Amino acid sequence: MPVSENLRENFAASLKRIIDKYQIQPKVWAVGVSGGADSLALVYLLKNWSDEHCVRVVALTVNHQLRPEADAEAEYTAQLMKKIGVEHHILQWVGVKPESGIEEAAREARYGLLQKWCAENGVPLLLIAHNQRDQAETFLMRLQRGSGVDGLAAMQERTMRNGIEILRPLLDIAPEALRAYLREQGVQWVEDPSNRDDEYLRVRIRKLLPVLEEEAGISVKRLAATAARMNRVRDYLEQQTDCFVRSYVTFWESSGCSFLPAEWQKLHQEMRLRVLIFLLKKIGGNVYPSRLEETERLEAALMQGNFKNRTLGKCEIISFGRKIWIVREKVGEKVLRRQSWEEFMEKNPKYLKAKLPYKLRLAIYDRWKNRNL
C-alpha cells in the first residue's frame, strides 16, 4: 500500500477517535503551519479529509521574524496553501525579541498569536502537528527535569487553552512517514536551522534518540507508548481530583476558594498535591501549573498544625477560620474600607453571613466594582 493511502487511513481513524471521544462539532478548523514537513503534512492530510466531511480549513503561519529567511518561508507556505485551496493567514510576531530564553518566548508568542486569531474569528478549534518523535523528546525532557506523572504523560492529544480547543492528531505517527507522504505529493518543505542547534535541549535529545535505540532498545515508539500509558494514569487521577473538588471545595466566584484541611489531609499525598496544583492553577489564572517541588513544599507545610500563610502560583494560601483559603494574589493592594464592604453586602446578600479572610474580601470587592464601572 502506498504511503499516502496508508497514512490517510491512519489519520482519518485518529481524527474519528478524537472527534467521537470529545464530541467535536465545529465546522471550521484552524491549523498551525510553519512550512516544515510535519505541519505541511498535517495541512495536506486535513485538506483531503475535510473535503469528504464538509469542514472548512484555515491555515495560520506565525512569522517570528527571527531569521532573514522568515518572510520568504512564510510567503512560500502561503503559495502552497493557495495551490491546494486552503485559506491562509500570516501572523507577525512584532516587537523587541528577548536576548535569552528565545525558544520558550517564541513558543508562547506562537500560541498567543494563533489563539488570538482563533478567538477574534470565532474558530474554537486549532490543530497542531506534534508527532510521535516530538512526544518521545518531550517525555525525555520531562524526565530530565524530574517530572511526575503529569510531566511524563508528555503532550495530550487534546487540551484547552484560553478557550481554544487544541488537537494533536499526529502523536502516534512517525515523522518519517510524514516526510515520505510529502515526497509522494511532490511537496518540498522548509528546514529550520534551529533544529540542528545543540544549544537547545530538545535538539541534543533528538540526536541521542538513535543511540538509545541502538544501544538500549529504547525506541521513539516505545517512549511515546510509555507517555501514552502515563497519560492514562493522569486521566484517572484527574477524575479523582475533580471528584474531591466538586465535593469539598467552595469557590468564591473566580477570586478564591476554600476547603476543610481535615478532608484534604485524608487523601493520599499524590491526591493532596493534585488538588493543590489544580486549585492554584485555576485561582491564579495560570497557563502552566506550579512546579512540583514548590507544591510539595506547600503540601508539607499545610500538613503541619501551625500553618499560617504562603504564596505560590500568583496565589496567597491562608489559614483562616479552620479552613484553608486560596486567594488570587494582588499587586499594589488597596485598602478595603468597612463602608465599601457593607455596601457590597447590601447588593450581594449571600455574603452577609460569610466569614471571609480580608484578602478574599478585597479580591471579591475589586472584581465586583470593576464589573460595575
Side-chain angles (χ1 to χ4, degrees):
M1 180 183 293
V3 171
S4 297
E5 186 176 345
N6 185 52
L7 186 58
R8 283 171 182 159
E9 288 182 3
N10 291 341
F11 178 74
S14 177
L15 270 189
K16 184 179 187 307
R17 178 181 56 76
I18 293 173
I19 289 170
D20 292 345
K21 181 177 180 180
Y22 301 108
Q23 299 181 336
I24 295 169
Q25 297 178 346
K27 293 298 183 181
V28 183
W29 293 20
V31 54
V33 55
S34 65
D38 302 336
S39 60
L40 281 178
L42 175 58
V43 175
Y44 276 70
L45 288 166
L46 187 61
K47 178 64 168 69
N48 179 267
W49 177 88
S50 67
D51 287 344
E52 300 177 5
H53 293 80
C54 300
V55 171
R56 175 178 153 227
V57 176
V58 181
L60 305 174
T61 297
V62 174
N63 182 355
H64 294 92
Q65 300 181 351
L66 294 174
R67 295 181 289 111
E69 317 88 66
D71 290 342
E73 290 172 358
E75 185 56 35
Y76 172 70
T77 304
Q79 293 303 316
L80 287 178
M81 296 301 100
K82 182 178 180 180
K83 188 174 180 180
I84 62 173
V86 170
E87 181 181 339
H88 180 254
H89 300 273
I90 298 175
L91 313 178
Q92 305 286 350
W93 184 24
V94 297
V96 179
K97 309 299 188 292
E99 294 183 3
S100 61
I102 189 64
E103 184 180 26
E104 182 178 351
R107 181 177 66 250
E108 288 303 309
R110 180 166 59 253
Y111 273 111
L113 287 167
L114 292 171
Q115 292 165 30
K116 184 174 184 290
W117 188 94
C118 288
E120 291 177 349
N121 290 274
V123 180
L125 198 65
L126 172 66
L127 275 70
I128 302 294
H130 290 127
N131 60 51
Q132 190 179 72
R133 187 181 65 192
D134 295 322
Q135 186 75 312
E137 292 166 359
T138 300
F139 176 88
L140 290 175
M141 290 173 71
R142 303 282 176 80
L143 184 65
Q144 186 260 359
R145 295 171 187 163
S147 296
V149 170
D150 284 10
L152 297 180
M155 293 180 284
Q156 299 179 69
E157 65 183 8
R158 173 188 178 268
T159 54
M160 294 296 296
R161 185 163 171 159
N162 297 329
I164 303 299
E165 193 168 15
I166 299 176
L167 302 183
R168 298 177 176 87
L170 302 182
L171 288 180
D172 292 330
I173 298 176
E176 294 79 13
L178 299 173
R179 283 157 175 72
Y181 168 70
L182 289 180
R183 291 188 190 98
E184 284 191 0
Q185 307 302 308
V187 179
Q188 292 185 333
W189 60 86
V190 173
E191 292 286 359
D192 186 342
S194 67
N195 290 331
R196 299 187 297 273
D197 190 342
D198 288 345
E199 178 182 349
Y200 302 118
L201 175 61
R202 183 177 290 275
V203 174
R204 298 197 298 273
I205 287 176
R206 182 171 298 173
K207 292 180 178 180
L208 284 173
L209 286 173
V211 179
L212 284 174
E213 181 167 9
E214 182 178 350
E215 298 294 331
I218 302 175
S219 65
V220 165
K221 186 175 182 180
R222 185 161 294 179
L223 288 168
T226 301
R229 293 183 180 109
M230 297 299 282
N231 215 321
R232 190 169 62 209
V233 175
R234 175 172 59 184
D235 284 348
Y236 170 74
L237 293 174
E238 285 183 348
Q239 289 177 12
Q240 297 305 303
T241 302
D242 182 65
C243 183
F244 177 87
V245 170
R246 284 188 286 107
S247 299
Y248 295 106
V249 178
T250 300
F251 287 93
W252 303 90
E253 301 189 23
S254 63
S255 301
C257 66
S258 61
F259 59 88
L260 291 170
E263 295 297 335
W264 174 78
Q265 288 171 354
K266 292 177 185 177
L267 297 172
H268 185 280
Q269 184 184 20
E270 177 66 21
M271 292 308 304
R272 293 198 298 267
L273 289 166
R274 287 184 164 274
V275 169
L276 290 177
I277 289 169
F278 173 84
L279 295 177
L280 289 167
K281 182 179 177 184
K282 184 176 181 66
I283 299 302
N286 304 311
V287 174
Y288 299 109
S290 303
R291 291 184 66 84
L292 181 58
E293 296 91 340
E294 295 174 336
T295 311
E296 286 172 337
R297 287 194 288 270
L298 172 61
E299 182 266 342
L302 285 169
M303 291 298 289
Q304 305 300 315
N306 59 350
F307 178 85
K308 292 184 178 180
N309 60 72
R310 283 202 179 191
T311 59
L312 180 61
K314 300 180 183 177
C315 294
E316 294 191 55
I317 303 91
I318 305 165
S319 176
F320 174 81
R322 299 182 182 180
K323 293 181 180 180
I324 298 298
W325 303 76
I326 299 178
V327 182
R328 182 173 294 190
E329 190 175 18
K330 293 181 64 60
V331 178
E333 286 186 18
K334 301 175 183 177
V335 175
L336 175 59
R337 294 181 175 83
R338 182 176 179 177
Q339 181 180 353
S340 299
W341 182 247
E342 290 176 350
E343 176 190 353
F344 167 81
M345 288 192 294
E346 287 180 9
K347 298 181 179 180
N348 299 272
K350 65 179 180 178
Y351 288 98
L352 283 171
K353 296 183 179 181
K355 296 182 179 179
L356 309 179
Y358 175 79
K359 296 290 181 68
L360 180 57
R361 279 185 281 152
L362 179 58
I364 291 173
Y365 177 79
D366 276 357
R367 186 173 183 274
W368 173 77
K369 185 177 179 180
N370 290 334
R371 210 169 46 219
N372 290 277
L373 285 177

